[in-house]
Structures are given as structure tokens and as C-alpha cells.
């Protein structure tokens, strides 16, 4: 051993050639001012172990550099309270031949706890338990009782209810909008017992497609049937509508189920005990720290050569304020990890546990390489387990993240605050290895790879997603997910030998393997995907992917899907076994030639005994193969050992073997190693899944908009309207050129020689089935404008009701010209009709020019007397030349009780 100055104060072990050169110790009865060279305090209490891991880190930082020997810091059994994150910089690094290891003593349970225990519970007369919680940094938003996450008092103990409709957003400040949310009358009753100050503390969590949104409630109007929320903008491509589920949290009146709690403004915490809990034996913990660890290096001086082993990190906020969350896919834009690394390399976490936190677990951000997370348990997560890489393509090579490994880990029970999070997310990062992990019990995808929408270049290359066990995903809460989800070009990436099952979405998109927008150059091979809602495989659109030698079994709706036809080869689908007992074989679009996609040498089998058919045309295999889209596939029983029990081993003589299919062994997928670790992966007490909620019928829409918001997407000008443009010179824009009451209006700009005469167009889907419907609006016509207004039902072909046009200064109704209409000024129109069984087949039109007299036209005939419902209302620019008109003060009312 090299003798150096550090041996004067650090105990040197010479017991074995493999022994550590330098040993330091940490114990709960230690002192950070001591040397750390003793395992226990000396009799004089003048020296002994350090008291904290952070104290050991600071002491090591003072050692001469470069280090000459490996350093081991051993923590004795016990709980070490963290009041803030432990920071590591380049100054805390080891060397390639002198790693610094922070580890638990052999057989010891070492817990680094970022939580604060609360005083013992007392029992109130009503059986509720109470205690006091500190209010130093606002009211706690997370609580663990008896080692279990406790939910805040919430409106529905199982599942969620649905929004009826939402008003347009009104800007209230930079990036902030106010919005009214209409709920069903029964749901508005939730607020009848709440006073105003309590309502302002309530939080509503929306679930929409692949996102969730969290908002504080500003006010409630029970009589009107609305609540008002304030927050960031909604996304035009994923707005809130009647398919949006919601749960309201944090009202004392919701405290009605065992395990729930409520913390009032005075700091009194009320808890409803779970069966079997006793107040004198049950502890409660709130999180104090936001993170556990941070690693912040520099490009030329990274944090490196550190190892953490056998440590358990528990209780952290993760996010300072969990009550507000703007929707973003996978929750990666705003939710980080309780362990974050920047410019770090050769850092290992082995046999560690990260549990009870409100965000992601470990986040490998810019400039992270050779980070290894192995044999770790990450559980009870507010979001997901691991993030790797950047949200944008790094322009500086030093900020690229690559060559990291997530191996043999158990990652489960996530999405408690951000259900849109994924288990393992890989953004702009390359050459990462994700193998033999168990990822389960999330509300969205298990693994996500790539972060480029479309075909632009991406550095997400050569990532290996192999031999993982991914299961119990979605749980019917969100939509549009996959066991493994990919996004953008990812040449060289392999998704192979993964066992994926029990993927259950809300309305659509519960897939096993999901190549989303622009996925390119990916090999998907040797996977077993079964018991999914929609299909074992789906490609939205992509290029040159190879789907080979997989088993896709027992999907509900269809077995695999292609959503977009493109001119290049989407994928090759070869030597796969596709078996099912319900649903269709194929979903989506199957036009094109073998240059667009190729099915080759697959086996298909329907256990229900139905004929196996292909595409919506229900083609037989022979007729399907005549199109040239399928070569050499067969329909035959694959002779699995026991398909009903999901044993997909092949019996001798299986026809799959003659196709060249290579048998797949699911027993080697998931975690490996000792039986205790494998047993831990198998023994999770999974909450009983609720029934998949039925999609609600669309409510009758009523609203008013003056187009005062920010137009972020011409295809969704407001929460209630849909725009259609060709993009060939026509447009829908918010304009301040003219306004009939606010600051702006919606401008329809037409052009010559568009692909269709009806561009641009704005439509509403009212869903009115009975009663009296009134649609009113203001229009400003330029001289060459051609305006069309019409109501329709949803029949095919549709029936039209009220309709009129404005052109060349004339208002023309269903019976001919009605009156002259001025241009270059605002004119107000009001259309009223009775629909449903009481419909008379007639309607009324009232016209009021600015400053003029209202003129009414009654008993105008429907274009189609058969119209009984109003499912479509259109505002169309029908000109074939450059022109424009402006629309403002659009109001739709109804007496339909389904509102």
C-alpha cells in the first residue's frame, strides 16, 4: 500500500489484498466534527464516526488529490434525517483507480429519510385521528402513514367522473388563463358544504388522453353549475372535453374513506385510519426535502467515480408544489428527479432503494455517461422511476448523454401525482442499455424512447431495451400508451425479448409495442405481448422498422395496427405469431403496396373459431395475399403449451417452427439473480383494478366566446370549435382589425384555387337532441366575401336544417333572397329552431345591423324536414378568390336538459 499523509487520521485496513485501502464510518450517534475512522464514539467522546453521509463527503473533499486509494464510507444501521439534499460536485469525485463508495454496513438497514415524523395521533370523538403538522413551507401536500402513501381527501374514492364542458380560456396574466368548467349537477353537489376559503384550497386533477392537468379552484357557482380554475394554457391538440375525467382533492367534506387525510390552514391534520391501525403504533411522515442527492459537475470536471450501495432513500417532495401542473407528455418538461445528475460519469447506484417521493426517481440530465443503476428498487413514485437525456437536441457535445445502464431493477407503483409519467424515459440520448428490469403498475407507458415528433434528425440512437418485464400499465385511467413507446428516428435501437402484458387504456391506445410519430430504424424482436386493450403492436407512422419473431396475443379490439399510409416502407412484419379470441386481426390503414409495408411468414389463429379475416373488407387470407401485401403467412393453431394460462412455449410439431419462428422463453425476462430478488419482483400487493369507465355521451353544448384568447392552433380556435384550413393561402386567425365587443375577432381569409371550396371553415358540435336551440353571432363582411351558415345532424348522408348565405350584399335563405346586407360593418344574426320530437321543420332568423332595426324572418323551412338533432353547425368561407370576413360574439344556447 502507498503510505500517504491521509493515513495519519484515517484507519487503514490491511486484513486482505482485496480490503479497502481507506475506511470511514458514519453512525447515528456520530459527530461530523470527528474523524470518522472509528465505528463507535470513543469513551471520552472526542472521536468516532461521522453523523451524516454529508459529513463524510465534506471530509473526503479535504483529502489530497488525486486520490491514491479507494475510499469506503460505511453507514451503520439506522435512520439518518435529511433536511436538505446532499450535493456532489466535481470536487467530490473519486478516481478511475480510487472509487469512493458510500455503502450500508453488511446486513444493516440504512435509511436516509427526507421526511419529518409528526406527533402521535390522538383519537377524536368521531373516530377520526388528529395531529399537528408544521406550516413552515406551506401546507404539506403528501403524507405517508404506517409506511404507506395516504391520499388527500378526494371527491370519488374509486375512479373519476367526467367534465360536461369547458368555457374558453380568458387571459389573466402572462401565461395564465381563467377557465370555467361545467360539471354535472350531481357533481356540483360536492361543493355545497364547502365555504369559500375551503374551495380556494381545493385542487382539481383532469385526466385527458395521455395527459393530466392539475389546477387550483378559484371559485364555485353551484347555481350556474360551474367551477372556475386558473392555470397555464391547455393544449389545442389535447383539450379538455366531455371525455375528460376529473377528481377534486383537498376539501374536508371529502374525508370519508380509510386512509384519507386533510390538513387545515391552522396545521391540524385529520386522518381516517385504515382497518387494523392503532394510533399509538402508527406513525405519520410528511416530506421536508425536495431531493435526496444532486450531482452537478462541469464539462471539464464532471462528478465521477462514485458508488452508492445498499442505501435506502425515503420521503421527498420531488416537486415543491404538486397542486399545479400544466399538461406535458410523460411529465418530463416540469417534473424532475429526487436524484439529479448533470455532467456526471462512472457513478453507480447498486442495491439501493428510492421510495415515497412526489416526482421522478433518478434523472440523468445533460452530460451524463457511464451511469449505472443496478439491482435497485424504485417505488411509490409521484411520477416515474428514471429519466435519461435531454428534452432538446444538445448543440454542445459535452452535454450529450449516452452509454448509461439500467439493469436488473424493480421499478413500480408510480404516477400517483403525475399519472402521465413513464417508468423509464429516454429523450435525446444514445447507446443506453435497459435490461432485465421489472417495470409495472403505472398509469401510462413503461418505457419511452426518443423525443422527436417526425423525421428530423435525432441523437436517440442504438438504445437497447431488452429482457424487461413490463406489465399492469394504464389501468384504464389514460389513453395512447404502450409497454414500450418510441418517438422519432432511432436507428440501431432494439426492443427485444421483453414480456409485456396487461396494458389497459381508457378510450384508445392500450398497445404492447408502440412506434409513434417518425419512429425509424428500430428492430422489435422476440417480444411477447398479450392482454392489451387495443393491440400488441401499433405504428402511428414511421420508417423501416422491423417487427420480427414476436408473439402478439389476446388483444381486445385488434391485434396490430398501422395508422398512416406513407410513400416509404413503414415496417416489415415477419415471422410473428398473432393469436386472439375477440376483436379483429388488423386495425387502421392498409392501403399501398409492398413498398409501403410487408407482412411475411406470420401465423394467425383465432381461438374463438371464427374465420381469420383481414382489413375492414373482411378478406380471407387468400384474398388478402392476392393484394401482394402478405407473403407466406398461414392460419394455424401454433400449439402453445397452454394459451389460456398464457404459457406460450411451443409444443413439438408446432407449425410456427416451419415458418422459421424461434421459440421465446419469458422466464428469462425481468429481474435476474438470487431468488429473494426475483420473489420481491413477483410479490407486489396490487390494488384491485376498477372497471374500465364507459365513455360518456357528449353533453349538449352551450357557450359564448368573443375570441379574446390566444390562438395557438387554427384547428382549435376555442374549446368548443374546430377549424379547417387547406394551408394553401387560406387561414383562420385572431385579428384586431375589427371587433364587435372585445379586442379582437376571428378572421376567415379565403384564397383562389383551394383544394375545396369550403376552406376555411369553423364548426361546432352542439349535440342538441331536444328543446330550443339558438345560435347568435356578429359578422363583418368585406365586399368579396362569401359567408355560409348551416346546421346539420349526424346522419349519412346528413340532413340540414337552418341555412343561409351572405354574398354580394344579399342575405339568401332557403326560399331565396331575404334582404340586403351592408358590408364593412358589423351585423348581428340570431338563428332559433325547435328540434327533437317537437320540431316543426321551421326556424327563425333575426338580423340587426349596427345601429339599425332588427328584422325577423319566421317559419323559414329546414333544408331537410327530417332533421331532428343538431350535431354540426358550420361557418364557411365559400369564395374562390382573395376575400375575408370576421366572426365575433358567437353564442350557442339550448333548453336541452342534457347540458
Amino acid at each position: 500500500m502507498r503510505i500517504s499523509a491521509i493515513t495519519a487520521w484515517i484507519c487503514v485496513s490491511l486484513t486482505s489484498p482485496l480490503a479497502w485501502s481507506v475506511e470511514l464510518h458514519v453512525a447515528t450517534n456520530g459527530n461530523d466534527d470527528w474523524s470518522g475512522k472509528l465505528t463507535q464514539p470513543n469513551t471520552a467522546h472526542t472521536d468516532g464516526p461521522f453523523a451524516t453521509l454529508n459529513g463524510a463527503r465534506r471530509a473526503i473533499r479535504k483529502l489530497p488529490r488525486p486520490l491514491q486509494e479507494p475510499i469506503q464510507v460505511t453507514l451503520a444501521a439506522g435512520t439518518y434525517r435529511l433536511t436538505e439534499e446532499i450535493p456532489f460536485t466535481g470536487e467530490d469525485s473519486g478516481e478511475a483507480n480510487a472509487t469512493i463508495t458510500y455503502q450500508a454496513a453488511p446486513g444493516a438497514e440504512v435509511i436516509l429519510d427526507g421526511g419529518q415524523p409528526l406527533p402521535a395521533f390522538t383519537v377524536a370523538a368521531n373516530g377520526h385521528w388528529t395531529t399537528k403538522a408544521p406550516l413552515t413551507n406551506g401546507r404539506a401536500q403528501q403524507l405517508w402513514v404506517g409506511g404507506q402513501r395516504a391520499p388527500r381527501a378526494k371527491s370519488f374514492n374509486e375512479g373519476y367522473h367526467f367534465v360536461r364542458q369547458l368555457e374558453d380560456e380568458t387571459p389573466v396574466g402572462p401565461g395564465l388563463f381563467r377557465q370555467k368548467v361545467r360539471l354535472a349537477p350531481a357533481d356540483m353537489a360536492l361543493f355545497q358544504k364547502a365555504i369559500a376559503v375551503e374551495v380556494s384550497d381545493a385542487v382539481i386533477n383532469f385526466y385527458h388522453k395521455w395527459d393530466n392537468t392539475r389546477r387550483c379552484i378559484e371559485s364555485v357557482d353551484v347555481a350556474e353549475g360551474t367551477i372556475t380554475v386558473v392555470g397555464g394554457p391547455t393544449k389545442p391538440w389535447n383539450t379538455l372535453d366531455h371525455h375528460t375525467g376529473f377528481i377534486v382533492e383537498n376539501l374536508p367534506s371529502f374525508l370519508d374513506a380509510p386512509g384519507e387525510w386533510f390538513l387545515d390552514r391552522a396545521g391540524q391534520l385529520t386522518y381516517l385510519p385504515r382497518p387494523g391501525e392503532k394510533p399509538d403504533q402508527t406513525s405519520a411522515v410528511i416530506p421536508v426535502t425536495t431531493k435526496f442527492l444532486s450531482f452537478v459537475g462541469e464539462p471539464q470536471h464532471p462528478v465521477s467515480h462514485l458508488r452508492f450501495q445498499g442505501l435506502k432513500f425515503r420521503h421527498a417532495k420531488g416537486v415543491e408544489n404538486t397542486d399545479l401542473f400544466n399538461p406535458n407528455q410523460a411529465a418530463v418538461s416540469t417534473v424532475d428527479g429526487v436524484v439529479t445528475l448533470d455532467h456526471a460519469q462512472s457513478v453507480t447506484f447498486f442495491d439501493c432503494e428510492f421510495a415515497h417521493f412526489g416526482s421522478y426517481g433518478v434523472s440523468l440530465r445533460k452530460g451524463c455517461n457511464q451511469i449505472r443503476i443496478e439491482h435497485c428498487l424504485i417505488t411509490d413514485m409521484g411520477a416515474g422511476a428514471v429519466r435519461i437525456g435531454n428534452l432538446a437536441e444538445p448543440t454542445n457535445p459535452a452535454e450529450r448523454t449516452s452509454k448509461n445502464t439500467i439493469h436488473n431493477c424493480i421499478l413500480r407503483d408510480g404516477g400517483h401525482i403525475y399519472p402521465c409519467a413513464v417508468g423509464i424515459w429516454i429523450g435525446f440520448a444514445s447507446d443506453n442499455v435497459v435490461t432485465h428490469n421489472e417495470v409495472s403498475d403505472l398509469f401510462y407507458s413503461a418505457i419511452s424512447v426518443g423525443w422527436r415528433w417526425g423525421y428530423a434528425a435525432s441523437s436517440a440512437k442504438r438504445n437497447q431495451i431488452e429482457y424487461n418485464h413490463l406489465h399492469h400499465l394504464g389501468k384504464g385511467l389514460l389513453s395512447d400508451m404502450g409497454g414500450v413507446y418510441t418517438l422519432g428516428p432511432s436507428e440501431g435501437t432494439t426492443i427485444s425479448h421483453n414480456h409485456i402484458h396487461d396494458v389497459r387504456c381508457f378510450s384508445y391506445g392500450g398497445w404492447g409495442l408502440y412506434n409513434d410519430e417518425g419512429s425509424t430504424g428500430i428492430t422489435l424482436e422476440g417480444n411477447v405481448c398479450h392482454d392489451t386493450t387495443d393491440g400488441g403492436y401499433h405504428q402511428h407512422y414511421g420508417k423501416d422498422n422491423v417487427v420480427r419473431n414476436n408473439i402478439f396475443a389476446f388483444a381486445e379490439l385488434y391485434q396490430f395496427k398501422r395508422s398512416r399510409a406513407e410513400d416509404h416502407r413503414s415496417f416489415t412484419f415477419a415471422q410473428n405469431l398473432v393469436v386472439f379470441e375477440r376483436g379483429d386481426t388488423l386495425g387502421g390503414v392498409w392501403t399501398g403496396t409492398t413498398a409501403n409495408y410487408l407482412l411475411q411468414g406470420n401465423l394467425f389463429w383465432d381461438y374463438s373459431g371464427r374465420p381469420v379475416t383481414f382489413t375492414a373488407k373482411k378478406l380471407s387470407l387468400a384474398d388478402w395475399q392476392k393484394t401482394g401485401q402478405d407473403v407466406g403467412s398461414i392460419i394455424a393453431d401454433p400449439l402453445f403449451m397452454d394459451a389460456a394460462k398464457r404459457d406460450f412455449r411451443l409444443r413439438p410439431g408446432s407449425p410456427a417452427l416451419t415458418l422459421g419462428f424461434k421459440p421465446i422463453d419469458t422466464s428469462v425476462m425481468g429481474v435476474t439473480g438470487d431468488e429473494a430478488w426475483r420473489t420481491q419482483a413477483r410479490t407486489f400487493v396490487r390494488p384491485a383494478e376498477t372497471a374500465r369507465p364507459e365513455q360518456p355521451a357528449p353533453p349538449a353544448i352551450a357557450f359564448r366566446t368573443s375570441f379574446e384568447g390566444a390562438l395557438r392552433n387554427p384547428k382549435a380556435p376555442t374549446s368548443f370549435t374546430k377549424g379547417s384550413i387547406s394551408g394553401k393561402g387560406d387561414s383562420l386567425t385572431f385579428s384586431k382589425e375589427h371587433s364587435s365587443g372585445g379586442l379582437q375577432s376571428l378572421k376567415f381569409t379565403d384564397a383562389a384555387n383551394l383544394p375545396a371550396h369550403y376552406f376555411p371553415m369553423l364548426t361546432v358540435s352542439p349535440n342538441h337532441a331536444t328543446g330550443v336551440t339558438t345560435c347568435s353571432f356578429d359578422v363583418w363582411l368585406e365586399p368579396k366575401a362569401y359567408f355560409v351558415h348551416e346546421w346539420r345532424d349526424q346522419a349519412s348522408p346528413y340532413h340540414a336544417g337552418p341555412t343561409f348565405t351572405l354574398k354580394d350584399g344579399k342575405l339568401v335563405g332557403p326560399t331565396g333572397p331575404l334582404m340586403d346586407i351592408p358590408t364593412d360593418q358589423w351585423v348581428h344574426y340570431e338563428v332559433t329552431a325547435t328540434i327533437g320530437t317537437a320540431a316543426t321543420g321551421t326556424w327563425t332568423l333575426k338580423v340587426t345591423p349596427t345601429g339599425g332595426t332588427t328584422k325577423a324572418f319566421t317559419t323559414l323551412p329546414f333544408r331537410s324536414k327530417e332533421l331532428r338533432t343538431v350535431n354540426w353547425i358550420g361557418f364557411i368561407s365559400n369564395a374562390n378568390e382573395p376575400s375575408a370576413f370576421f366572426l365575433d360574439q358567437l353564442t350557442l344556447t339550448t333548453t336541452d336538459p342534457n347540458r
Side-chain angles (χ1 to χ4, degrees):
M1 168 178 286
R2 183 189 302 267
I3 302 299
S4 67
I6 61 174
T7 59
W9 66 282
I10 295 177
C11 177
V12 180
S13 172
L14 300 175
T15 59
S16 164
L18 298 178
W20 293 89
S21 298
V22 177
E23 292 187 3
L24 298 175
H25 300 278
V26 179
T28 55
N29 60 351
N31 188 317
D32 283 346
D33 291 330
W34 291 344
S35 70
K37 66 181 182 179
L38 302 177
T39 60
Q40 291 293 325
N42 60 17
T43 55
H45 275 259
T46 57
D47 197 10
F50 297 118
T52 66
L53 186 152
N54 205 25
R57 177 193 66 84
R58 289 194 295 263
I60 294 171
R61 177 177 278 211
K62 298 175 183 178
L63 297 178
R65 299 298 173 124
L67 298 177
Q68 301 300 312
E69 299 93 0
I71 298 175
Q72 176 180 277
V73 179
T74 300
L75 284 75
T79 297
Y80 299 81
R81 295 291 172 191
L82 302 178
T83 57
E84 58 185 3
E85 68 189 67
I86 303 174
F88 289 82
T89 71
E91 302 300 317
D92 300 303
S93 296
E95 307 290 343
N97 62 345
T99 298
I100 301 172
T101 298
Y102 298 86
Q103 70 168 23
E109 183 176 53
V110 175
I111 300 172
L112 290 94
D113 199 319
Q116 176 178 343
L118 300 183
F121 284 113
T122 59
V123 181
N126 60 1
H128 295 182
W129 295 3
T130 62
T131 186
K132 297 295 289 186
L135 301 173
T136 52
N137 293 312
R139 282 190 285 173
Q141 297 170 335
Q142 299 179 75
L143 176 75
W144 286 268
V145 179
Q148 298 182 63
R149 180 184 292 269
R152 289 197 297 190
K154 59 185 185 295
S155 53
F156 317 116
N157 296 322
E158 290 187 5
Y160 49 62
H161 289 196
F162 292 94
V163 167
R164 294 292 289 270
Q165 62 191 53
L166 287 92
E167 304 283 337
D168 286 338
E169 297 172 336
T170 303
V172 295
L176 287 177
F177 296 82
R178 178 176 287 112
Q179 191 171 39
K180 283 188 176 182
V181 183
R182 183 173 297 279
L183 305 180
D187 292 329
M188 288 305 303
L190 295 168
F191 301 97
Q192 288 181 342
K193 296 181 181 180
I195 60 177
V197 68
E198 292 174 342
V199 167
S200 64
D201 291 332
V203 176
I204 187 166
N205 196 5
F206 298 107
Y207 306 93
H208 49 120
K209 294 183 180 177
W210 57 87
D211 267 333
N212 74 290
T213 299
R214 295 177 68 85
R215 294 279 183 265
C216 289
I217 297 176
E218 185 179 64
S219 62
V220 172
D221 190 327
V222 175
E224 186 183 52
T226 62
I227 64 174
T228 299
V229 299
V230 174
T234 57
K235 292 183 175 180
W237 56 88
N238 193 358
T239 57
L240 309 180
D241 57 21
H242 69 283
H243 286 150
T244 298
F246 77 91
I247 291 175
V248 181
E249 303 173 7
N250 207 40
L251 280 178
S253 58
F254 295 163
L255 197 63
D256 61 358
E260 289 186 341
W261 60 284
F262 176 78
L263 179 61
D264 68 21
R265 292 191 172 196
Q268 176 163 295
L269 188 148
T270 303
Y271 173 72
L272 265 62
R274 301 180 180 100
E277 290 182 326
K278 298 180 180 180
D280 58 340
Q281 299 175 9
T282 305
S283 61
V285 177
I286 61 171
V288 175
T289 61
T290 301
K291 296 182 185 180
F292 298 126
L293 307 170
S294 64
F295 300 79
V296 183
E298 300 294 335
Q300 303 306 316
H301 194 192
V303 186
S304 62
H305 302 295
L306 299 175
R307 181 180 176 89
F308 299 82
Q309 182 169 326
L311 306 177
K312 296 182 178 181
F313 296 87
R314 294 180 180 171
H315 303 117
K317 296 178 184 178
V319 175
E320 284 294 338
N321 183 2
T322 63
D323 286 347
L324 299 177
F325 177 66
N326 292 328
N328 60 85
Q329 183 172 326
V332 290
S333 295
T334 56
V335 181
D336 216 327
V338 286
V339 176
T340 57
L341 297 92
D342 289 286
H343 295 296
Q345 59 184 248
S346 300
V347 176
T348 296
F349 299 93
F350 180 80
D351 196 27
C352 290
E353 175 187 305
F354 303 91
H356 313 319
F357 51 86
S359 63
Y360 273 91
V362 183
S363 184
L364 282 54
R365 305 191 300 194
K366 58 185 178 182
C368 290
N369 303 283
Q370 306 291 348
I371 310 300
R372 188 173 186 90
I373 304 172
E374 182 177 356
H375 202 279
C376 290
L377 170 64
I378 306 181
T379 187
D380 187 14
M381 307 168 283
V386 180
R387 291 180 39 168
I388 303 174
N390 302 284
L391 289 163
E393 192 73 77
T395 56
N396 183 351
E399 295 187 349
R400 292 175 182 166
T401 290
S402 66
K403 299 180 180 177
N404 303 289
T405 299
I406 316 298
H407 175 69
N408 199 23
C409 294
I410 301 172
L411 315 172
R412 67 185 177 201
D413 191 23
H416 288 291
I417 299 173
Y418 309 102
C420 58
V422 301
I424 301 173
W425 178 86
I426 301 175
F428 287 99
S430 67
D431 299 287
N432 300 286
V433 176
V434 178
T435 52
H436 284 288
N437 301 288
E438 176 111 0
V439 185
S440 72
D441 296 276
L442 300 160
F443 298 102
Y444 189 53
S445 301
I447 300 175
S448 177
V449 183
W451 206 241
R452 173 75 75 195
W453 283 260
Y455 294 111
S458 169
S459 60
K461 308 289 190 225
R462 300 174 299 280
N463 292 296
Q464 298 177 42
I465 315 298
E466 300 181 353
Y467 291 95
N468 302 287
H469 186 193
L470 317 173
H471 59 100
H472 290 91
L473 307 169
K475 302 186 179 184
L477 190 75
L478 297 178
S479 303
D480 203 88
M481 69 196 66
V484 180
Y485 170 92
T486 67
L487 192 60
S490 196
E491 292 85 352
T493 290
T494 56
I495 301 170
S496 301
H497 299 94
N498 301 286
H499 185 192
I500 303 170
H501 60 92
D502 290 284
V503 183
R504 192 167 66 97
C505 64
F506 161 55
S507 63
Y508 78 98
W511 295 297
L513 301 171
Y514 181 7
N515 291 145
D516 202 4
E517 302 187 40
S519 295
T520 300
I522 302 170
T523 298
L524 306 96
E525 183 173 22
N527 302 285
V528 176
C529 303
H530 62 90
D531 294 285
T532 60
T533 304
D534 288 62
Y537 173 70
H538 171 229
Q539 178 164 299
H540 181 181
Y541 66 88
K543 183 178 181 181
D544 294 333
N545 297 308
V546 176
V547 187
R548 180 175 59 213
N549 209 95
N550 304 281
I551 296 174
F552 299 116
F554 302 115
E556 291 183 18
L557 299 183
Y558 47 79
Q559 309 317 305
F560 59 103
K561 180 178 182 179
R562 174 179 183 253
S563 283
R564 181 182 296 186
E566 295 183 289
D567 293 336
H568 52 249
R569 172 68 61 83
S570 297
F571 54 77
T572 299
F573 191 91
Q575 275 126 8
N576 301 287
L577 310 186
V578 181
V579 301
F580 51 102
E581 58 190 1
R582 54 183 169 173
D584 296 326
T585 312
L586 306 179
V589 180
W590 296 94
T591 57
T593 68
T594 55
N596 304 119
Y597 63 91
L598 177 62
L599 276 59
Q600 187 173 42
N602 302 289
L603 179 149
F604 301 96
W605 186 247
D606 188 338
Y607 283 97
S608 73
R610 300 174 303 168
V612 176
T613 61
F614 298 84
T615 77
K617 297 180 179 180
K618 304 295 183 182
L619 299 176
S620 67
L621 177 60
D623 289 337
W624 170 239
Q625 290 178 333
K626 288 177 183 178
T627 67
Q629 307 289 16
D630 189 299
V631 178
S633 294
I634 62 172
I635 297 174
D637 186 340
L639 300 180
F640 290 130
M641 284 291 185
D642 194 336
K645 294 183 178 179
R646 304 316 189 237
D647 183 347
F648 297 109
R649 292 174 297 165
L650 297 175
R651 286 183 274 164
S654 168
L657 300 173
T658 64
L659 294 173
F661 183 84
K662 298 176 182 178
I664 304 172
D665 183 3
T666 59
S667 69
V668 299
M669 302 173 188
V671 299
T672 65
D674 62 87
E675 184 57 29
W677 185 239
R678 295 166 66 92
T679 299
Q680 186 171 359
R682 291 193 297 265
T683 53
F684 175 65
V685 180
R686 183 167 293 110
E689 291 193 19
T690 58
R692 184 179 172 190
E694 293 185 8
Q695 296 188 52
I701 297 296
F703 69 96
R704 182 180 185 279
T705 179
S706 55
F707 303 103
E708 294 302 299
L711 182 58
R712 298 184 297 278
N713 185 342
K715 294 183 179 180
T718 76
S719 298
F720 303 97
T721 59
K722 177 182 178 181
S724 298
I725 60 174
S726 72
K728 305 293 184 181
D730 57 326
S731 65
L732 288 171
T733 56
F734 286 169
S735 172
K736 292 182 169 56
E737 297 174 59
H738 305 290
S739 172
S740 68
L743 299 176
Q744 60 187 21
S745 60
L746 183 65
K747 182 179 181 180
F748 293 63
T749 300
D750 215 326
N753 302 316
L754 297 179
H757 60 84
Y758 50 74
F759 291 124
M761 173 173 62
L762 184 78
T763 59
V764 183
S765 299
N767 304 309
H768 294 181
T770 188
V772 177
T773 296
T774 299
C775 182
S776 64
F777 47 89
D778 297 348
V779 176
W780 177 296
L781 293 172
E782 291 188 352
K784 295 183 179 181
Y786 186 175
F787 171 91
V788 178
H789 178 70
E790 186 166 273
W791 298 10
R792 301 173 184 172
D793 63 12
Q794 58 186 356
S796 182
Y798 63 82
H799 303 116
T803 182
F804 70 87
T805 65
L806 305 173
K807 183 183 180 183
D808 297 331
K810 299 289 185 182
L811 186 158
V812 179
T815 58
L818 297 177
M819 63 180 288
D820 292 337
I821 292 294
T823 58
D824 293 327
Q825 75 172 67
W826 286 108
V827 178
H828 180 72
Y829 300 88
E830 182 180 284
V831 180
T832 302
T834 299
I835 56 173
T837 57
T840 62
T842 63
W843 56 289
T844 297
L845 173 63
K846 295 180 180 179
V847 183
T848 310
T850 300
T853 302
T854 299
K855 189 168 184 178
F857 302 92
T858 59
T859 64
L860 296 170
F862 287 177
R863 275 188 56 193
S864 305
K865 62 182 180 180
E866 295 87 355
L867 181 130
R868 291 294 179 270
T869 63
V870 181
N871 305 98
W872 185 97
I873 293 179
F875 303 84
I876 304 168
S877 181
N878 219 37
N880 191 27
E881 60 182 323
S883 61
F885 65 79
F886 301 80
L887 182 70
D888 207 352
Q889 307 303 323
L890 173 59
T891 302
L892 182 66
T893 64
T894 178
T895 60
D896 189 330
N898 189 39
R899 183 174 180 244

